[in-house]
Amino acid sequence: MGALLEAFLIPLLSWIPWRLGTVLRMLWKPLFASCGWVRFEPGTVCVGCSNMRFGRGVRIGRNCRLYAVDGGMLAIDCGSVLSPGVTVDASADGRIVIGSKVAVGPGTVLRASNHRFDLLDIPIMDQGHIPGTIVIEDDVWIGANAVLTPDVRIGRGAVIGAGAVVTHDIEPYAIAVGVPARVVETRKKAPEG
C-alpha cells in the first residue's frame, strides 16, 4: 500500500508551486520511515520513501532526486539543506547519512554504490553493485556540483569546494578542493578579543 501511495502522491503533488504545493507535500510525511517538518520544493522526486528519515527543519530544493531502493537507507538530520538539483542515491544497499546543519550546493551528486565491472564476459549493467556508505557529519558545507563517491566520511565543519570529487575521507574542519579532492587548508577559530 505504501509503494502505491508513493507512486501516486509524489508525482501528483511534486509540481504544485508556491505555498499550496508546500502544504500539500506535507501529505507525503506518512510515506517516510520518519519525517519531522520538512520543506519539499517543487519538482522533488523521492523513491524508496520507507527507507528515508528526515529530521525537523530539513529543506529539499527544487528538482532534487532522492533514492533509497533495493535495500538502501538515507537519513538527513535537523536543519540540513539540499540546494536545487541535488541527487542523493542510496540505492542498491547503499547508506547515506547527512548530519545536522549541512549545506549541499546545487547540482551535487552523492552516490553510495558503484557498478561492478570486474567481469569481462558479462555486461557492466548486469554485474550488480558494490554497496558503500557516505557519512557527512554536522556543520559541513559542500559547494555546487561536487561529487561524493562511496565509502567516504566528511568530518564535522569541513568545506568541500565547488566541483570537487571526493574519493576519500576528509578530516574535520578541512577545506578540500579539486579532482580528486585534496585538503588545502584547515578552518581556524576566530581570534579572541
Side-chain angles (χ1 to χ4, degrees):
M1 183 67 168
L4 181 62
L5 280 174
E6 179 180 322
F8 174 73
L9 275 180
I10 289 184
L12 177 69
L13 301 178
S14 175
W15 293 100
I16 299 173
W18 304 299
R19 287 189 177 135
L20 174 62
T22 300
V23 170
L24 288 174
R25 282 185 287 278
M26 296 294 284
L27 295 173
W28 293 356
K29 194 172 180 173
L31 300 174
F32 299 103
S34 68
C35 187
W37 187 91
V38 177
R39 181 176 177 167
F40 295 99
E41 293 289 331
T44 298
V45 171
C46 298
V47 180
C49 296
S50 62
N51 300 321
M52 297 180 188
R53 299 178 179 281
F54 299 104
R56 70 185 179 287
V58 169
R59 288 183 290 156
I60 309 296
R62 286 180 172 272
N63 303 317
C64 285
R65 305 286 186 252
L66 309 177
Y67 304 98
V69 295
D70 299 328
M73 188 282 293
L74 169 62
I76 303 177
D77 209 347
C78 301
S80 289
V81 177
L82 303 182
S83 296
V86 171
T87 298
V88 181
D89 192 344
S91 297
D93 293 318
R95 184 173 174 265
I96 298 177
V97 178
I98 299 173
S100 64
K101 298 289 187 176
V102 171
V104 180
T108 294
V109 175
L110 288 75
R111 176 75 167 120
S113 296
N114 269 333
H115 287 280
R116 291 185 181 276
F117 56 89
D118 51 330
L119 303 174
L120 300 179
D121 56 336
I122 298 174
I124 293 170
M125 293 299 292
D126 296 335
Q127 292 187 43
H129 293 85
I130 302 167
T133 300
I134 296 172
V135 176
I136 303 170
E137 296 180 3
D138 299 343
D139 187 33
V140 168
W141 175 25
I142 300 173
N145 299 309
V147 175
L148 278 67
T149 62
D151 298 323
V152 298
R153 175 180 287 270
I154 310 297
R156 179 184 186 89
V159 175
I160 306 299
V165 177
V166 181
T167 59
H168 61 276
D169 293 353
I170 303 296
E171 295 295 317
Y173 305 104
I175 300 171
V177 299
V179 179
R182 63 182 179 79
V183 175
V184 294
E185 197 173 336
T186 301
R187 293 178 58 206
K188 298 166 184 62
K189 290 184 179 180
E192 293 184 28

